[in-house]
């Protein structure tokens, strides 16, 4: 509800106008294209109002809270998962980025999902989790405008080296 409240209330700001433009021409800019391609098809279905253009970010943010819970639960226990989910659910930064038509919520979602899939691959030792990890990590590289996923992959490799 915190993410939904006033989702379409404010007018677009400069970067959101750029997001709309990129969504109309997803492969004609220097940014990684995944978010713009998703937004392209989303605007075909729902239009280009302030609410509808910001809604995918809200969805990715909402799902991130769930996967933070799962990751905390798998790493420690359900109490840690709940606390972590509450922490991210009420984080002002996470709420703010959930209300912007920008790729940040998608990037965070893919980061959390990538880390979760890596943990599942290491603990469950099943190929489907390794495949999902590679797929989600690759999607992360195609979604982020500042290439944050390079640093995430380095951190994951260091953690993997430490654990092994």
């Amino acid at each position: 509800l915190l993410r939904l409240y006033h989702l379409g209330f404010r007018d677009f700001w400069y970067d959101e106008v750029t997001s709309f433009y990129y969504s109309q021409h997803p492969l004609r800019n220097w940014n990684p294209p995944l978010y713009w391609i998703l937004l392209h098809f989303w605007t075909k279905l729902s239009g280009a109002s302030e609410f509808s253009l910001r809604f995918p970010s809200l969805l990715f943010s909402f799902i991130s809270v769930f996967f933070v819970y799962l990751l905390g639960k798998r790493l420690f226990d359900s109490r840690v998962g709940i606390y972590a989910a509450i922490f991210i659910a009420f984080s002002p930064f996470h709420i703010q980025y959930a209300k912007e038509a920008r790729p940040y919520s998608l990037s965070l979602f893919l980061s959390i999902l990538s880390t979760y899939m890596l943990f599942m691959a290491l603990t469950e030792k099943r190929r489907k989790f390794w495949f999902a990890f590679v797929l989600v990590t690759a999607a992360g590289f195609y979604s982020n405008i500042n290439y944050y996923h390079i640093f995430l992959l380095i951190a994951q490799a260091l953690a993997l080296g430490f654990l092994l």
Side-chain angles (χ1 to χ4, degrees):
L1 291 174
L2 290 173
R3 287 155 176 73
L4 192 58
Y5 180 70
H6 280 206
L7 186 64
F9 183 71
R10 292 180 297 123
D11 291 336
F12 288 131
W13 65 289
Y14 178 78
D15 283 357
E16 291 179 311
V17 173
T18 305
S19 292
F20 175 71
Y21 175 78
Y22 287 164
S23 74
Q24 301 309 300
H25 312 283
L27 301 176
R28 291 190 201 159
N29 64 73
W30 58 273
N31 292 299
L34 181 62
Y35 179 76
W36 317 118
I37 292 169
L38 293 173
L39 205 57
H40 174 80
F41 290 109
W42 177 254
T43 58
K44 298 291 183 200
L45 292 172
S46 66
S49 69
E50 285 88 351
F51 183 89
S52 71
L53 212 62
R54 293 173 180 147
F55 195 75
S57 292
L58 180 140
L59 285 178
F60 292 124
S61 174
F62 182 74
I63 297 168
S64 294
V65 173
F66 176 70
F67 274 99
V68 162
Y69 164 74
L70 289 180
L71 188 59
K73 180 182 173 187
R74 294 287 296 193
L75 284 171
F76 301 101
D77 60 25
S78 61
R79 174 184 256 170
V80 171
I82 289 170
Y83 287 147
I86 289 171
F87 181 75
I88 197 169
F90 289 100
S91 166
F93 292 110
H94 201 252
I95 293 168
Q96 177 63 37
Y97 287 127
K99 293 182 173 191
E100 291 186 2
R102 299 295 292 156
Y104 308 124
S105 290
L106 173 61
S107 180
L108 179 65
F109 165 68
L110 291 172
S111 299
I112 294 166
L113 188 58
S114 170
T115 304
Y116 181 74
M117 289 300 151
L118 177 61
F119 181 76
M120 293 299 290
L122 291 171
T123 58
E124 299 294 323
K125 300 190 185 334
R126 295 169 68 187
R127 279 191 204 182
K128 71 179 185 177
F129 291 118
W130 282 110
F131 179 73
F133 166 71
V134 169
L135 191 66
V136 170
T137 302
F141 280 104
Y142 283 99
S143 70
N144 194 304
I145 59 176
N146 59 12
Y147 300 100
Y148 155 79
H149 286 272
I150 292 169
F151 300 109
L152 176 65
L153 191 59
I154 292 168
Q156 289 172 337
L158 289 172
L160 186 59
F162 178 75
L163 290 173
L164 297 177

